[in-house]
Amino acid sequence: MSRPEHVIEIRIRYGETDRMGTYYYGAAADWFETARTELLRSIGLPYSEMESRGLFLPVIVMHAEYVDRADYDDPLRISVSAEMQGRIRLRCPVHIINAETGADVCKGYTVHAIVGRDGRPMKPPHWFLEAIGRE
Amino acid sequence: MSRPEHVIEIRIRYGETDRMGTYYYGAAADWFETARTELLRSIGLPYSEMESRGLFLPVIVMHAEYVDRADYDDPLRISVSAEMQGRIRLRCPVHIINAETGADVCKGYTVHAIVGRDGRPMKPPHWFLEAIGRE
Amino acid sequence: MSRPEHVIEIRIRYGETDRMGTYYYGAAADWFETARTELLRSIGLPYSEMESRGLFLPVIVMHAEYVDRADYDDPLRISVSAEMQGRIRLRCPVHIINAETGADVCKGYTVHAIVGRDGRPMKPPHWFLEAIGRE
Amino acid sequence: MSRPEHVIEIRIRYGETDRMGTYYYGAAADWFETARTELLRSIGLPYSEMESRGLFLPVIVMHAEYVDRADYDDPLRISVSAEMQGRIRLRCPVHIINAETGADVCKGYTVHAIVGRDGRPMKPPHWFLEAIGRE
């Protein structure tokens, strides 16, 4: 099975810009997270439900490369996918382009531990691996 | 007893600026909160301990008036005080000036419910009222 | 003419929650702003274009009342309108409900100065007043 | 000459926590940036002045590894250094520990382009390289 992918579109918020007249680099964390949320929903694993069921995906690595400027209200198209990295980690590559011009804006990835209520790493349950396309 | 007051100084973070070349208005929430945190610590009520003891002060009103621009790295002097508003609410007036020029930057207040672990409003315990100068 | 109104729906971002398990009160500034952006677009005044034309609407007052909790991924329905307040200010009342339950979450308003490139208050041009429904 | 280093201490803001009861991973961008600001000031290059002189250091890479939880009001000790990476990039490694317990919290780095007012990469001027310890 192929790994799940998802695409969302958002606009840059005013508060995400900075005095350089482009987006603040910290905004990427929110954009990566928003796209991940929708990816998980699209494969039947709404993350809020996952947490209710006792499965958490804390970020353990964030990597972002800022390719080009983008300004307030620019529409961003964010593509995100998910794949297991070993047996107890999830990796989510992200690619952001300007939805109007097609220009690259930012790319990167997050890596997530898979932990239970006790905060300890665990092998993810079958339903999780199935949705991720691993089984 | 007079009501407690406290003053802190912080600098405007880069991420708190926006494309207008001044601070984003949403940053005021963080500044009010940072000053409140230090006010509570200064009167012997570190808020993290209060929450551990089961007393929470969720914000129920925020009001801010933005008087003048201020930019990245500008030093802000934030004065905050606290007073009971009736028997089950706390009110924290805030005044922010540019610490270099003395010019007014922002003023406002927050109002807080006083709630227990169950989220229900409660009359604050004696030790809280004493620290606030009400008893 | 009646004053313009607009409704958007967004979901609460993970980064907008806090350790109390509800949304951080500062997030309201972003929500108010996001709804305003779409309101202005809907009446033919995209704010990014307004700034390009030299008309700015800096926030001079923000007032928010936090009515109830709301958590990560909860869908919010945000209604915003706009009306002149005197001749050189714009007022934007906002009302946020949980789009699933209909429960009130937050309400408030922002007041905006209308300023030119020089930062000075000005009477808004005809095309602005027309779009706002004042002429 | 050795590369410049600097250490600051800050406390985690309430708004930087999330519903998992730890800090939101996006907060690292602000922490890295706050430490960089003070590092640059400490070597005689206040970044606000650099921008006034027409030298900008936009972030082109951010990498963060999240080692352990940390909660509201926890004191963080942030160490940052700066070194040239080739001739037109600056690299700033960062290491964050809990100032009370000494435990690792987060580590990573940012890479910065060095650009002029026109947004084009440039070889940094002599005074910049001198302060960075490259000449």
Side-chain angles (χ1 to χ4, degrees):
Chain A
M1 255 184 88
S2 59
R3 67 182 188 191
E5 294 191 46
H6 196 68
V7 180
I8 66 166
E9 284 200 17
I10 60 168
R11 283 180 183 272
I12 297 182
R13 294 177 171 187
Y14 207 92
E16 291 171 341
T17 64
D18 65 25
R19 73 196 296 272
M20 225 182 266
T22 180
Y23 62 97
Y24 184 62
Y25 79 115
D30 289 309
W31 300 341
F32 287 19
E33 180 269 317
T34 302
R36 267 196 328 271
T37 289
E38 296 307 325
L39 168 67
L40 291 171
R41 192 191 325 279
S42 77
I43 59 174
L45 297 178
Y47 184 59
S48 53
E49 277 181 30
M50 283 181 53
E51 288 203 346
S52 301
R53 288 164 87 165
L55 197 67
F56 299 80
L57 299 175
V59 178
I60 55 175
V61 181
M62 174 187 172
H63 182 87
E65 299 178 24
Y66 303 94
V67 183
D68 205 356
R69 304 168 67 89
D71 203 353
Y72 164 62
D73 210 36
D74 281 350
L76 301 179
R77 184 170 298 140
I78 310 179
S79 309
V80 62
S81 57
E83 61 195 348
M84 290 300 294
Q85 179 177 293
R87 298 166 69 95
I88 55 171
R89 292 187 174 177
L90 186 72
R91 190 175 185 277
C92 298
V94 184
H95 185 192
I96 304 178
I97 63 171
N98 183 313
E100 230 160 56
T101 66
D104 280 349
V105 170
C106 175
K107 55 190 176 181
Y109 60 86
T110 48
V111 180
H112 303 257
I114 299 169
V115 306
R117 266 187 228 289
D118 56 4
R120 300 206 165 188
M122 56 182 275
K123 276 195 291 182
H126 180 70
W127 52 264
F128 180 87
L129 290 169
E130 201 168 42
I132 295 298
R134 187 60 168 275
E135 292 194 343
Chain B
M1 258 185 84
S2 61
R3 67 181 188 192
E5 294 190 45
H6 196 68
V7 179
I8 67 165
E9 284 199 17
I10 61 167
R11 283 180 183 272
I12 296 181
R13 295 177 171 187
Y14 206 93
E16 291 171 342
T17 64
D18 64 25
R19 72 195 298 271
M20 224 183 267
T22 179
Y23 62 96
Y24 183 63
Y25 80 114
D30 289 311
W31 301 341
F32 286 18
E33 181 267 317
T34 301
R36 266 195 329 270
T37 288
E38 296 307 325
L39 168 67
L40 291 172
R41 192 192 323 281
S42 76
I43 59 173
L45 297 178
Y47 185 59
S48 52
E49 279 181 30
M50 281 181 54
E51 287 203 346
S52 301
R53 289 165 86 166
L55 198 67
F56 299 80
L57 299 175
V59 178
I60 54 174
V61 181
M62 174 186 172
H63 182 87
E65 298 177 24
Y66 303 93
V67 183
D68 204 357
R69 304 169 67 88
D71 203 352
Y72 164 62
D73 211 37
D74 281 351
L76 300 179
R77 183 170 298 139
I78 310 178
S79 309
V80 61
S81 56
E83 61 194 350
M84 290 299 294
Q85 178 176 295
R87 298 165 69 95
I88 55 169
R89 292 186 173 178
L90 187 72
R91 191 176 183 277
C92 297
V94 185
H95 185 191
I96 304 178
I97 62 170
N98 182 313
E100 231 160 54
T101 65
D104 280 350
V105 170
C106 175
K107 55 189 177 182
Y109 60 86
T110 48
V111 180
H112 302 258
I114 300 169
V115 305
R117 265 187 228 291
D118 56 4
R120 298 207 169 188
M122 56 182 275
K123 276 196 291 182
H126 181 70
W127 51 264
F128 180 87
L129 290 170
E130 200 168 43
I132 295 298
R134 187 60 169 275
E135 294 197 341
Chain C
M1 257 184 87
S2 60
R3 67 182 189 191
E5 294 191 46
H6 196 69
V7 179
I8 66 166
E9 283 200 17
I10 60 168
R11 283 180 183 273
I12 297 181
R13 295 177 170 186
Y14 207 92
E16 292 171 342
T17 64
D18 65 25
R19 75 196 294 271
M20 224 182 269
T22 180
Y23 62 97
Y24 184 63
Y25 80 115
D30 289 310
W31 301 340
F32 286 18
E33 181 268 318
T34 301
R36 269 197 324 271
T37 288
E38 296 308 324
L39 169 67
L40 291 172
R41 191 191 325 280
S42 77
I43 58 173
L45 298 177
Y47 184 60
S48 53
E49 278 180 30
M50 282 181 54
E51 288 203 346
S52 301
R53 288 164 86 166
L55 197 68
F56 299 80
L57 300 174
V59 178
I60 56 174
V61 181
M62 174 186 173
H63 182 87
E65 298 177 25
Y66 303 93
V67 183
D68 205 356
R69 305 169 67 90
D71 203 352
Y72 164 61
D73 210 37
D74 281 350
L76 301 179
R77 183 170 299 141
I78 311 178
S79 309
V80 62
S81 56
E83 61 194 348
M84 290 299 294
Q85 179 178 293
R87 296 165 69 94
I88 54 170
R89 293 187 172 176
L90 187 72
R91 190 175 185 278
C92 298
V94 185
H95 185 191
I96 303 178
I97 63 171
N98 182 313
E100 229 160 57
T101 66
D104 280 349
V105 171
C106 175
K107 55 188 177 181
Y109 60 86
T110 48
V111 180
H112 302 258
I114 300 169
V115 305
R117 267 188 227 291
D118 57 4
R120 299 206 167 188
M122 56 183 275
K123 277 196 291 182
H126 181 70
W127 52 262
F128 181 87
L129 290 170
E130 201 168 42
I132 295 299
R134 187 61 169 275
E135 293 194 344
Chain D
M1 258 185 82
S2 60
R3 67 180 188 192
E5 294 191 45
H6 196 70
V7 179
I8 66 165
E9 283 200 16
I10 61 168
R11 284 181 183 273
I12 297 181
R13 294 176 170 187
Y14 207 92
E16 292 171 340
T17 64
D18 64 25
R19 73 196 296 271
M20 224 182 268
T22 179
Y23 62 97
Y24 183 62
Y25 79 116
D30 289 310
W31 300 342
F32 286 19
E33 179 269 317
T34 302
R36 268 196 326 271
T37 289
E38 296 308 323
L39 168 67
L40 291 172
R41 193 192 324 282
S42 77
I43 58 173
L45 299 178
Y47 184 59
S48 52
E49 279 181 29
M50 282 182 53
E51 288 203 346
S52 301
R53 289 165 84 167
L55 198 68
F56 299 80
L57 299 174
V59 177
I60 55 174
V61 181
M62 174 185 173
H63 182 86
E65 298 177 24
Y66 303 92
V67 183
D68 205 357
R69 303 168 68 89
D71 203 352
Y72 164 62
D73 210 36
D74 282 349
L76 301 180
R77 184 169 297 140
I78 311 179
S79 308
V80 61
S81 56
E83 61 193 352
M84 290 299 295
Q85 179 177 294
R87 298 164 69 95
I88 54 170
R89 292 188 173 177
L90 187 72
R91 191 175 184 278
C92 298
V94 184
H95 185 191
I96 304 178
I97 63 170
N98 182 314
E100 229 160 57
T101 66
D104 280 349
V105 171
C106 175
K107 56 189 176 180
Y109 61 85
T110 48
V111 180
H112 303 257
I114 299 170
V115 304
R117 266 188 228 290
D118 56 4
R120 299 205 168 190
M122 56 182 275
K123 276 197 290 182
H126 181 69
W127 52 263
F128 181 86
L129 290 170
E130 201 167 43
I132 295 298
R134 186 59 169 277
E135 294 197 339

